[in-house]
Amino acid sequence: MSINLVSDKRLDNIGAVEKFRALMVLAGWLIPALLTAIGLAGAVDLLVRGEEAFGTTDAVPWGILIAGYVLLAVTCSGLCLVSSLGHVFGIERFEIIGQRAIYLAVVVLISAFAVLAVELGHPFRLIYVLLSPNFHSGIWWMGTIYGIYLVGLMLELYFMLRHKEHPARLMGTITFILAIAATTNLGSVFGFVNAKPFWYGPYWPVYIIVTAIMSGTAVLIILAWFLQRRIASKRQQGFCQNGSMFKHRLKKLSGTLSILLAAEVGTVLVLTFWKVVTSLYGGVPGQQQAAMALLTGPLAPTYWVFEVGIGLLLPLALLLISRGKGEKFNLAAALSVILGMVFMRLHMVSSGQILYIDKTTGMASYAAYIPSLGETAVIVGAVGFILLAYKIGERYLPFKP
Amino acid sequence: MSKRYGFVMLVYRCIDCKACQVGCWAENEVPLGKSRNWITKDGPKGKFPDLITDFLPGNCMHCGNAPCVNVCPTGASYQTEEGIVLVNKKKCIGCKYCMVACPYNARYYHPEEKTADKCTMCVHRLKEGLQPACVSTCVGGARVFGDLNDPDSQVSRLLRKHRAVVQLPQANTQPNVYYVYDSPVDKGGIAP
């Protein structure tokens, strides 16, 4: 009698576990789909209502959508650059993640372009980028190179999935070069602007390539962690052979990535420090006020908490404690870098525009910018789209291993 | 030699009445809340009780080395042979790079057309031999417009006679809008 009771309970438990698992699988599809729908609703709102639906003004023409575009486009470059250590430069440890990294790079870049299309008033007029190009324009170079780069990434992915090694390596080399060119050109869009002293100069092209590699590394750590979890669940269900080998390799890769990430976070910390210090004491008109906006002004709360605290100091501490071994520390560090990066990009775009000279009073003040609901929704939707598209790829594309 | 249009703003003549702004709004159907021209208050300056506030009429500087033209990815922002900086609305993709790049904040975003918009020097009026609307409506005669390449034009005569300055010379934009602060009346003369 008592034995029966125990087995009934166990059966109930198994039933509950199965139900929970099914629910989790459903949520795994529903949540990204819901986020994408929110993004689409935001995009419709922005496209229909136009300027009044945006938080941007004539004083602050570029807002969270430009910051989001930069975040996504640069992360795409980072994914390509870091993963090419495997399939281009032949470091075996990185090869395991190459296909998924390039697929994710394609997805992230498409979402970046989608965000930019919502920001532009007339995306279809982009044809004039080809018909009447202005070679003096930073945006022309950035847009053109990113466009070619997207095609290159798609070809690279195709060859990788078809296991055509030589063309895949050739395309990988080309996209490696294009990733550097596209990203630094994106930095130059800011570097060219003489009118914004905090942006002007070669700092941003350099900063943006370093932060690209940093965000790419962080995303790959998160990806490696998810893949390990996936293997664990597949093994439980009996689907995965050679799972323990794959898991072991992913674990080793994650360790190496976290050491890379520590070096990158350290470098960005140094760049961030000297940018602020040279702006404060360099005596260039406009730079000091922008730096003060970050340190004590309207951007200070998010600058200190998210960009410096969560984005740089916390991950550096976590990575130094873990020294590449504690996987949960690595994952926490990677997530915290990505969260910090969201604000880092927002500050990068805002800090240059924050000093505003009123035309009628001639007085300098800090220009206010608060992202609107629609703008924020589009960014949320971009994240949802990336998750959804990645899940679709993982399910239907022949990724190996 | 081709024409090079420009403004000479006689600061001592501006009374901040904003007729130039109203004239421009009416002439160019500028959207509500936006403006192609403005008047900047410079002051109060000096030492009490001898204080003075100058009023500086402003609009797009139609720079010789225009940052907005340089940064436009599609060439929608361009400069005519006469030096007028214009926006080809058909080519504008709405990226706002020109707005970010203008050190004078002379541009605004047109909410209906979803393009950058700005002072055109009333090019449609110039074609009919008229002055820009802001010049025609200026009560004090503070805004003077003409061909800077023509030595006999009023603007050229003014620039020969007076010390003129440009705004933000350090930006190296070579503006075609000049400012004259010193009143000839103060020196015993009569303004032209």
Side-chain angles (χ1 to χ4, degrees):
Chain A
M1 186 72 183
S2 65
I3 293 166
N4 270 345
L5 267 175
V6 170
S7 64
D8 279 355
K9 250 186 197 168
R10 195 179 284 164
L11 274 175
D12 281 354
N13 278 345
I14 290 168
V17 168
E18 286 293 319
K19 265 186 199 165
F20 180 71
R21 191 174 283 157
L23 210 66
M24 287 297 282
V25 169
L26 193 67
W29 286 98
L30 273 183
I31 292 171
L34 188 72
L35 296 180
T36 311
I38 290 173
L40 286 174
V44 169
D45 180 42
L46 294 178
L47 292 173
V48 171
R49 285 205 295 142
E51 196 196 19
E52 64 171 307
F54 280 84
T56 50
T57 57
D58 290 337
V60 186
W62 286 351
I64 197 171
L65 293 187
I66 293 290
Y69 166 72
V70 175
L71 173 74
L72 295 169
V74 165
T75 302
C76 159
S77 307
L79 278 167
C80 172
L81 290 173
V82 179
S83 69
S84 63
L85 286 172
H87 57 267
V88 176
F89 295 99
I91 302 175
E92 205 187 339
R93 187 165 289 190
F94 288 85
E95 281 178 5
I96 192 170
I97 209 147
Q99 292 184 351
R100 288 176 174 88
I102 295 300
Y103 175 67
L104 199 56
V106 170
V107 167
V108 171
L109 191 53
I110 289 172
S111 76
F113 281 146
V115 169
L116 191 63
V118 176
E119 158 74 19
L120 293 179
H122 289 286
F124 298 112
R125 289 186 189 164
L126 280 171
I127 188 71
Y128 286 106
V129 171
L130 298 173
L131 294 181
S132 123
N134 177 14
F135 301 121
H136 290 285
S137 169
I139 284 191
W140 187 85
W141 285 100
M142 182 272 293
T144 308
I145 298 175
Y146 259 119
I148 299 169
Y149 172 57
L150 178 61
V151 177
L153 278 176
M154 285 173 162
L155 282 174
E156 184 183 358
L157 180 68
Y158 173 79
F159 291 134
M160 285 173 101
L161 292 176
R162 285 286 170 113
H163 301 288
K164 297 189 173 176
E165 259 188 49
H166 285 295
R169 181 160 293 195
L170 177 69
M171 272 326 291
T173 312
I174 294 170
T175 53
F176 178 82
I177 295 164
L178 285 173
I180 295 173
T183 316
T184 49
N185 269 286
L186 178 49
S188 81
V189 167
F190 299 91
F192 273 123
V193 182
N194 187 336
K196 310 287 183 202
F198 199 65
W199 281 347
Y200 180 71
Y203 174 80
W204 295 107
V206 175
Y207 174 85
I208 210 160
I209 195 85
V210 178
T211 50
I213 298 167
M214 180 166 90
S215 56
T217 310
V219 172
L220 285 184
I221 290 175
I222 298 167
L223 185 61
W225 190 80
F226 269 109
L227 283 175
Q228 286 186 57
R229 298 256 307 177
R230 192 177 140 82
I231 291 161
S233 94
K234 290 263 165 185
R235 269 169 80 194
Q236 266 182 350
Q237 293 164 29
F239 288 136
C240 196
Q241 290 141 359
N242 295 330
S244 69
M245 174 75 168
F246 186 31
K247 200 170 171 197
H248 178 68
R249 286 174 69 190
L250 278 171
K251 200 169 183 172
K252 279 185 119 175
L253 172 69
S254 172
T256 309
L257 283 171
S258 70
I259 294 166
L260 269 180
L261 187 63
E264 291 151 12
V265 172
T267 310
V268 174
L269 198 61
V270 170
L271 282 174
T272 305
F273 175 79
W274 286 113
K275 175 65 182 170
V276 166
V277 172
T278 52
S279 299
L280 278 181
Y281 301 110
V284 177
Q287 282 197 354
Q288 191 195 17
Q289 292 93 326
M292 288 308 284
L294 288 169
L295 298 178
T296 59
L299 302 176
T302 48
Y303 178 74
W304 287 112
V305 174
F306 288 100
E307 179 168 343
V308 178
I310 293 174
L312 297 170
L313 295 177
L314 177 67
L316 194 62
L318 288 169
L319 292 166
L320 290 178
I321 292 167
S322 103
R323 288 169 189 242
K325 289 180 185 79
E327 265 204 284
K328 283 193 179 148
F329 278 84
N330 298 347
L331 177 72
L335 287 170
S336 125
V337 161
I338 295 295
L339 180 62
M341 188 73 76
V342 173
F343 287 88
M344 190 187 280
R345 295 288 173 234
L346 199 53
H347 294 146
M348 176 181 158
V349 172
S350 303
S351 57
Q353 304 173 84
I354 196 143
L355 184 68
Y356 183 71
I357 315 269
D358 189 290
K359 281 184 294 202
T360 48
T361 61
M363 303 286 277
S365 62
Y366 287 139
Y369 166 69
I370 298 164
S372 72
L373 208 61
E375 285 175 306
T376 315
V378 168
I379 298 297
V380 169
V383 175
F385 168 78
I386 291 166
L387 294 175
L388 194 64
Y390 180 75
K391 278 188 79 82
I392 292 170
E394 188 67 72
R395 181 149 185 172
Y396 295 105
L397 288 178
F399 289 138
K400 285 226 170 97
Chain B
M1 193 189 278
S2 66
K3 287 179 176 175
R4 183 165 66 94
Y5 287 126
F7 289 88
V8 173
M9 308 294 193
L10 303 174
V11 175
Y12 57 89
R13 284 181 163 226
C14 179
I15 57 167
D16 195 24
C17 70
K18 297 188 175 64
C20 51
Q21 249 180 321
V22 177
C24 178
W25 283 332
E27 177 69 32
N28 296 299
E29 293 175 358
V30 178
L32 205 64
K34 312 278 182 172
S35 195
R36 292 185 180 185
N37 56 12
W38 57 85
I39 294 168
T40 308
K41 282 189 182 64
D42 182 13
K45 302 180 284 189
K47 203 174 173 187
F48 184 81
D50 298 319
L51 295 168
I52 186 168
T53 294
D54 282 321
F55 300 117
L56 279 68
N59 46 252
C60 168
M61 302 288 156
H62 297 275
C63 307
N65 176 26
C68 54
V69 173
N70 287 334
V71 302
C72 178
T74 61
S77 282
Y78 68 103
Q79 194 152 31
T80 66
E81 277 185 14
E82 294 90 11
I84 310 172
V85 175
L86 295 173
V87 180
N88 180 343
K89 298 283 177 77
K90 278 186 187 155
K91 285 188 185 176
C92 178
I93 59 171
C95 70
K96 304 180 188 171
Y97 200 9
C98 53
M99 290 168 64
V100 171
C102 175
Y104 306 100
N105 296 318
R107 291 175 169 237
Y108 60 86
Y109 188 70
H110 197 295
E112 279 97 47
E113 293 172 348
K114 296 186 177 179
T115 61
D117 203 7
K118 65 181 285 297
C119 161
T120 61
M121 276 190 185
C122 284
V123 67
H124 58 287
R125 285 173 61 94
L126 298 184
K127 281 177 190 162
E128 291 175 21
L130 298 167
Q131 296 263 302
C134 58
V135 177
S136 295
T137 53
C138 181
V139 174
R143 285 172 168 268
V144 184
F145 177 83
D147 179 9
L148 293 162
N149 280 346
D150 174 6
D152 294 329
S153 69
Q154 196 184 356
V155 281
S156 296
R157 278 186 279 127
L158 280 166
L159 290 179
R160 274 201 302 275
K161 206 166 177 183
H162 303 287
R163 198 178 66 86
V165 293
V166 294
Q167 288 194 15
L168 300 178
Q170 69 275 20
N172 194 29
T173 51
Q174 300 160 19
N176 282 316
V177 177
Y178 295 88
Y179 289 84
V180 171
Y181 277 76
D182 304 326
S183 162
V185 179
D186 296 342
K187 294 174 183 169
I190 294 165

